Structures are given as C-alpha cells and as structure tokens.
Amino acid sequence: MTSLDEARALLREYPVVDGHNDLPWALREQVRYDLAARDIADHQNAHLHTDLPRLREGGVGAQYWSVYVRSDLPDAVPATLEQIDCVRQLLARYPKDLAPALTAADMEAARADGRIASLMGAEGGHSIACSLGTLRGLYGLGVRYMTLTHNDNVPWADSATDEPNVGGLSAFGREVVREMNRLGMLVDLSHVAATTMRDALDATSAPVIFSHSSSRAVCDHPRNIPDDVLERLSANGGMAMVTFVPKFVLQAAVDWTATADDNMRAHGFHHLDTTEEAMKAHRAFEEAHPRPVATVATVADHLDHMREVAGIDHLGIGGDYDGTAFTPDGLNDVSGYPNLIAELLDRGWSTSDLAKLTWQNAVRVLGAAEDVARSLQTTRAPSNATIESLDG
C-alpha cells in the first residue's frame, strides 16, 4: 500500500474538518448566489476550488463555511445575513451530501451518516457592527466561530495587516470574547495582530481557534502565529488550523508579493487594483519575475514545526479554498488533502497523530466550547455592554 492509499484509508475513518472555505463569497462574486449557475454537484474546475465530488475525493467530513463579507462594505451585517442564507440554500439543495451542524455531536452524527457536516464561521468582527445583540443573532442563525478581525482593524480589535489602533483588544473587545464564551461561539484568531492574540488568550475561558493560519517562525508573515502564542494553546486547549495560501506559507512568495505590490504602487496603482491597466502592469511584472510556487512539503514544514511547539492535540487544517487565487502544487483544490496526509505519513506521523489533525481535535475543541458555555450560562447573563459604555 502506498502512502497515498494509506492516507485515503485513514480519511475514510477520520475525515478532514476544514476550518475555512470561502465558497459562499465566491458564489456571491461570480453568480450573485445563483446556485444553478455554479452547481457544486458537478465539477467546476474553471471557476471554483470546491464542489461535492472533490470534497468527497479529498476526504472532507466537516467544513466550516466562511460567511465572510468585505470590511469596507457599508452594509456588512445584511451582507453577512446573505452569506448565511447562501449556506442554508446549499444545505437545502444538497441534503444527501451536506448535513447542518451546530454542535460536536452533530459533527459525529454527520460522519456516521456519511454526510459532510456543515458549520459556519463569520470572518471579521465588522460583521457584528459593535453590537453584542448582533453577535447573539449570528449565533442563533448557526454561526459557530467569529474571526475577531479581517484585514482591517475593527474599533475594538487590531488586525495583523493594519496599523495598531487599540493595542490588541479594547475593553469592549474583551467583552466580545467573554460573550462569545458564554454563547459557545469559538473565538477565531486568524487575521488578528499578535497583540490581539495574546489579549484574547488572556480574556477567554474557552479554547480558541485559528481557522486558517500557519507558523510565523517558518514563514515571517504577520498573518501567521508566533511561537509564544502557539505555546499557549496547550494550556488554553485550542487549536491552530494550518492554511495553504502560498503568500502565508512560503517565504519566497511573501517576498515576491511585497515586491509585486511595490511595482503596482510605482505604476500609480493600489496593490489590490484589478482594473485592466493595473493588471497589465502586474502581468508584465509576473512575466519578468515568475511567481514562486509552494508545494505540499511547504505546508508539511509548517505542521512539523507547529506540532513541535504546540503539540499534536492543538493542530488542524484550514485550507482557505475559494478565498485565494493561488494554491500549492498538490493542494490545488479540495480534493488534495490526501496528498498532505501522505506527505506527513512519509515524515513519520502516526495514524493517531493524523486522526487528531484531521478530525478529533476540531470536534473536541467545539465540544469544549459548548461545555464552557453551559457553565457560564448558569452564572452570566447576556451582556448589554456597548462600545461607548466600555471604551468611551
């Protein structure tokens, strides 16, 4: 039996829980939620990283669907509700393959039933508009984690890719974390500044997650997790779910991206500009300076280091499919997870280690958050704090 055969056999028993997939946003951007135009029952290789056949091929047993919206949208809350509605439409359209899941028990029931447990995560605290009532509303609609920021700061938390504002979490930000604990909503620290990571770990009474982040020691990008934070996951009980985005996992890609962005600015364009003239300048740069390519081994290097620092009980996978334009060779779409598991088998990871990485850790962490919530709900009433009352 080859390592790939062994990987596929393992995933049949312990499938992947993936922490982050942006399919709902891709459906909004490409077809304005016309699910018939992007029928994920069929392969959509030209348009998407994700469809049901490839999820099955990849051994995915549970997926956190990101209900992400851009932080610069003036209507972030209703746009987030549209994203939630998209996930619900997917569940209604494909009930034989996708199972709604709100709890760890639901995840196990879906696995026993041969369906893909479908959970939701909100990506960015802008989705609650500084309202704890809105936070509770999202939880009531099925959202089971919230990333505290996306690429930009929110008034109560600093992002990894914005200028420092409140120095981590503000008083209201700490109250957001406490209310998430009371609800049983996982605190997601992907995208946040290292100061915010540390403040959240100080404030939380439940395990945290990083839904799609890798190791900063292996690849020096602010989106990644410093070792001192990884070390704290053992005491916290949380988990870091390694991401596949090349510019977060391959140092050469980080450096190339910075140079490409400088080139865009030198030509008078914002580095995210996608107009025809801007893309002409970018294509000319890329032709002269080919983009570095990450591989399965690149991602495995992160997992090797993260296991050494955080421990095997605190790792998972969060590919960020359909949220990135580029993917590593061998991890081109959601069918690629067996290639990563085969690579880890070749590096000496045991079956028990891999079962924790793919399935068991994620189920345990959600269950632990539920346990904390049940306890807190006997002693703590819903918070009616406002950002004005706490941050002045």
Side-chain angles (χ1 to χ4, degrees):
M1 179 183 288
T2 68
S3 297
L4 188 57
D5 291 334
E6 190 177 345
R8 288 175 175 145
L10 183 143
L11 290 172
R12 284 192 288 273
E13 186 172 1
Y14 298 106
V16 169
V17 180
D18 184 274
H20 194 88
N21 185 300
D22 277 302
L23 176 65
W25 184 257
L27 292 171
R28 171 189 166 116
E29 291 289 277
Q30 293 182 21
V31 293
R32 191 59 199 181
Y33 303 126
D34 181 354
L35 302 189
R38 290 287 183 272
D39 184 359
I40 63 167
D42 299 320
H43 281 289
Q44 298 284 345
N45 293 307
H47 306 290
L48 298 169
H49 295 140
T50 308
D51 54 49
L52 296 174
R54 283 182 286 175
L55 286 167
R56 296 293 196 183
E57 185 180 348
V60 176
Q63 180 67 66
Y64 278 96
W65 302 109
S66 176
V67 291
Y68 158 80
V69 299
R70 289 204 326 259
S71 56
D72 60 350
L73 291 181
D75 55 351
V77 175
T80 302
L81 297 181
E82 290 177 355
Q83 289 275 279
I84 293 170
D85 180 67
C86 176
V87 175
R88 289 182 160 186
Q89 288 189 55
L90 289 169
L91 293 173
R93 187 178 179 92
Y94 307 106
K96 293 182 179 179
D97 293 286
L98 303 179
L102 301 175
T103 65
D106 290 343
M107 295 171 74
E108 292 287 12
R111 179 173 71 141
D113 197 33
R115 295 193 290 165
I116 300 166
S118 291
L119 305 101
M120 288 185 281
E123 190 176 17
H126 57 283
S127 289
I128 65 168
C130 298
S131 165
L132 296 179
T134 301
L135 176 71
R136 289 189 287 272
L138 294 186
Y139 182 84
L141 291 171
V143 174
R144 288 300 177 265
Y145 76 64
M146 184 175 72
T147 321
L148 299 186
T149 74
H150 190 243
N151 289 337
D152 301 316
N153 296 337
V154 293
W156 44 270
D158 286 348
S159 168
T161 48
D162 202 348
E163 293 299 316
N165 181 33
V166 297
L169 283 178
S170 72
F172 182 75
R174 293 189 290 274
E175 188 71 358
V176 171
V177 168
R178 288 189 286 266
E179 187 65 7
M180 291 173 73
N181 291 166
R182 192 194 66 82
L183 289 168
M185 183 186 287
L186 290 164
V187 176
D188 177 22
L189 300 180
S190 287
H191 280 287
V192 307
T195 50
T196 307
M197 298 175 194
R198 298 178 186 117
D199 282 356
L201 283 163
D202 290 341
T204 188
S205 54
V208 303
I209 66 167
F210 291 82
S211 66
H212 57 306
S213 293
S214 295
S215 164
R216 191 156 185 178
V218 177
C219 181
D220 188 13
H221 190 284
R223 271 281 283 104
N224 287 335
I225 314 167
D227 276 1
D228 71 287
V229 175
L230 283 171
E231 289 170 355
R232 294 185 63 177
L233 290 180
S234 177
N236 168 261
M239 66 184 297
M241 307 177 88
V242 68
T243 195
F244 301 164
V245 180
K247 67 180 180 181
F248 300 155
V249 298
L250 182 66
Q251 191 63 51
V254 175
D255 300 339
W256 183 92
T257 300
T259 305
D261 291 349
D262 289 342
N263 175 72
M264 291 287 278
R265 285 186 283 267
H267 283 81
F269 302 111
H270 187 277
H271 70 280
L272 296 178
D273 194 335
T274 58
T275 61
E276 183 176 347
E277 285 302 308
M279 292 311 296
K280 181 179 178 181
H282 181 72
R283 284 192 294 271
F285 173 84
E286 189 164 356
E287 184 174 342
H289 308 278
R291 182 184 298 272
V293 177
T295 66
V296 174
T298 308
V299 177
D301 288 344
H302 282 264
L303 282 168
D304 277 342
H305 179 80
M306 292 162 77
R307 181 175 67 161
E308 182 178 339
V309 176
I312 188 56
D313 294 323
H314 306 287
L315 300 184
I317 296 171
D320 202 9
Y321 285 115
D322 286 306
T324 178
F326 301 97
T327 56
D329 275 0
L331 295 168
N332 306 76
D333 55 46
V334 295
S335 69
Y337 300 100
N339 295 327
L340 177 60
I341 302 308
E343 173 72 19
L344 296 173
L345 283 166
D346 288 341
R347 294 181 180 214
W349 285 50
S350 68
T351 297
S352 61
D353 287 348
L354 292 167
K356 290 179 178 181
L357 174 74
T358 58
W359 182 264
Q360 293 173 342
N361 289 343
V363 175
R364 173 188 57 79
V365 166
L366 182 57
E370 295 166 20
D371 291 341
V372 169
R374 278 189 288 269
S375 175
L376 288 176
Q377 287 167 16
T378 66
T379 60
R380 178 179 167 90
S383 175
N384 291 312
T386 65
I387 192 167
E388 293 80 11
S389 67
L390 292 182
D391 291 347

